[in-house]
Amino acid sequence: IAQKVNSNAMVKMMISNAAGGEELDETAQAAKRALLSFQFQMYDLEDIFSDAKQTEFLIVTVPTELAVRESVRLLNDLTFEAPDMPIKVRNVVANQVLKDDGSDVSTFLNKVSEGQQVSIRELSDAVVRTGIPIETTQVPYIDTEPRGVFGLKVLSEQLLKEDE
């Protein structure tokens, strides 16, 4: 590490400034000790994650195509990507599932609408705080998740549509 630090003037200057006047070699040794400590902590964490008696993952998703695809990808990554060290997954939770009889659709839509209004306000406030003239475009609800060429075409038509 000391060789790497000494070979890079910018890193050397930053560490020297952060050291507050300490000798650079002492600072490099402290950094080396901290990195080794972090590395051992990561080994411990890896051991915990791979110990099925101590750890398991709970995958929580919402029933939309994109969210489910990402959850399936996560499930595969956790269980199949490293067969020598699979991570225990015993449960997958699908959240915000509507009842089959449709009795909760109105409540759900009202909550979604309220949440969207709050989120749009937060986004608008954040844009204003930047002080940069950033245009925010709101695309109306499309009855399907935009995916593939057709989905992108529908989305682009909504984005490029002139104000009516």
Side-chain angles (χ1 to χ4, degrees), residues 86 93 110 127 161:
V93 175
N110 287 336
V127 167
K161 185 167 50 173

Side-chain angles (χ1 to χ4, degrees), residues 78-128:
L78 292 175
T79 57
F80 300 118
E81 286 294 312
D84 57 324
M85 195 180 87
I87 295 176
K88 182 176 168 183
V89 178
R90 289 190 308 166
N91 293 292
V92 176
V93 175
N95 197 8
Q96 300 178 348
V97 178
L98 298 175
K99 295 178 183 175
D100 287 339
D101 66 4
S103 62
D104 53 357
V105 171
S106 178
T107 302
F108 174 78
L109 290 176
N110 287 336
K111 292 291 183 186
V112 168
S113 178
E114 290 169 10
Q116 285 183 351
Q117 290 171 15
V118 168
S119 297
I120 292 294
R121 276 195 304 276
E122 287 178 14
L123 180 61
S124 296
D125 292 347
V127 167
V128 168

